[in-house]
Amino acid sequence: MALDLPLTDEAALLRDALQRYLADNPKPDWQGLAGELGLMGIGIPEASGGTGGGAIERAVVAEALGPALAGSDWLSHSVAAALLARLAPGHALLAELAAGSQRIALALGNGGTDLAQVQGGARADWLLLATPVGVRLVAASACERRVRAMFDTTETADISVPATAGDVLAEGDGPYRWASNALLTARMAECAGLMARMHADTAAYLNQREQFGQPIARFQVLRHRIADMHMALLKATSLTERAILAEDSPGWDHAVSAAAVETIDAVRLVGESAVQLHGGMGVTEELDLGGQFKRGLTIIAGFGPRTAYLARHAETVG
């Protein structure tokens, strides 16, 4: 694992159980994650049918699901369910969300009703629409939805939400800011898992591949490349850890912005280096590497402009 977080006994058990499950089920589906592991209840209080937990538990799962390319819909569901639990802890829907029998997607908007590329929106039963104006819970059946396949083979949906549909759960920009930061932080944890796997697989490949009678890992220029990948991974994950632990603190915006900048840079450097060091094998379907790099690129593309995080980082100093 790339992230070094202070885990409770329960979180450590969750991490270990998930690792064992993924070893036996490298391509898990929704039913497995919900029924066999109970991951849909993270962030939902036990009193509402969930398993509790928060940012750390969400990061542990996101990091583990990243290399399996299974984190996209789960993460949108998890953050949306956690926000619903924060805003309406007694809501009747929470128990079904925790069980995974109903699916919810987090839809972040700027106040309009047309939403592009909503992660988890393709199969969601409910949308939690969060904007700077407020938060609404909307049945997906009340919306127009166009599913699209992404570069990394995940599905998103372009969704048109009727202006008056759904129930208003909160007003103001507070919940929107929380949801934006929580989703972004967890996506960076997912990237940490992707980068750690790409780095480890590349290091193993360099030690296996021989040229001139010796492993190519002994060639100095390649050792420098793998070291550069490791340094980029360390910088991104250390700042991601800080962002995870800063949840709900006054410095959360600042920590998230710094981690986003480093993650955007690191995903490109680690992924491009991994593909190049594997040679032609790096882009074939025979290896998981190509899909993992595509997933990383899709995640950071969803972050938006790097300059926006630099500006927010500067604005939130002190």
Side-chain angles (χ1 to χ4, degrees):
M1 305 294 280
L3 295 174
D4 183 13
L5 296 166
L7 302 182
T8 62
D9 291 342
E10 291 78 7
L13 288 173
L14 171 65
R15 176 199 60 195
D16 296 343
L18 185 51
Q19 288 177 337
R20 290 193 298 270
Y21 183 83
L22 291 174
D24 295 331
N25 302 274
K27 301 297 181 184
D29 58 15
W30 184 271
Q31 287 72 27
L33 297 180
E36 297 184 50
L37 291 172
L39 298 184
M40 307 310 162
I42 291 176
I44 300 176
E46 293 182 19
S48 300
T51 55
I56 291 177
E57 289 78 9
R58 192 175 300 115
V60 165
V61 176
E63 182 185 10
L65 293 182
L69 307 182
S72 177
D73 287 5
W74 172 82
L75 198 46
S76 180
H77 174 96
S78 181
V79 176
L83 179 57
L84 178 60
R86 289 168 71 99
L87 298 177
H91 201 286
L93 182 60
L94 289 172
E96 292 180 277
L97 296 179
S101 57
Q102 290 283 292
R103 298 172 65 156
I104 191 170
L106 180 66
L108 296 173
N110 58 9
T113 58
D114 291 329
L115 307 168
Q117 298 184 22
V118 176
Q119 289 281 351
R123 299 176 183 272
D125 301 295
W126 298 87
L127 298 174
L128 196 64
L129 175 59
T131 73
V133 176
V135 178
R136 282 191 287 151
L137 178 65
V138 184
S141 58
C143 306
E144 293 184 12
R145 177 165 47 181
R146 182 170 66 88
V147 176
R148 65 164 74 181
M150 300 298 288
F151 174 62
D152 61 347
T153 72
T154 60
E155 289 183 334
T156 65
D158 297 335
I159 300 175
S160 294
V161 182
T164 59
D167 299 323
V168 176
L169 300 179
E171 296 182 349
D173 69 346
Y176 169 79
R177 292 176 60 192
W178 182 89
S180 298
N181 278 344
L183 183 63
L184 183 60
T185 303
R187 288 289 182 216
M188 290 188 289
E190 186 181 354
C191 286
L194 288 164
M195 290 188 290
R197 179 64 58 83
M198 289 189 287
H199 175 264
D201 287 352
T202 303
Y205 175 75
L206 295 184
N207 279 293
Q208 294 168 1
R209 175 73 183 274
E210 291 191 358
Q211 196 169 23
F212 306 117
Q214 61 181 327
I216 61 175
R218 296 184 181 178
F219 299 163
Q220 188 175 40
V221 65
L222 299 186
R223 294 174 69 177
H224 287 171
R225 288 291 298 278
I226 204 76
D228 288 342
M229 292 170 66
H230 190 217
M231 287 302 299
L233 172 62
L234 286 178
K235 287 193 294 182
T237 53
S238 63
L239 288 174
T240 297
E241 291 162 9
R242 183 184 176 196
I244 293 166
L245 298 176
E247 182 172 290
D248 289 327
S249 74
W252 196 20
D253 285 350
H254 189 70
V256 170
S257 299
V261 172
E262 285 294 343
T263 298
I264 290 169
D265 292 344
V267 165
R268 292 191 179 279
L269 189 150
V270 172
E272 289 173 359
S273 296
V275 169
Q276 290 168 2
L277 291 174
H278 273 83
M281 290 285 291
V283 294
T284 64
E285 293 185 1
E286 184 176 346
L287 300 181
D288 292 332
L289 172 62
Q292 291 163 357
F293 184 32
K294 289 177 182 178
R295 177 60 189 151
L297 290 177
T298 301
I299 292 173
I300 62 173
F303 285 5
R306 180 178 183 273
T307 52
Y309 295 106
L310 287 170
R312 188 171 76 154
H313 185 263
E315 292 168 0
T316 53
V317 171

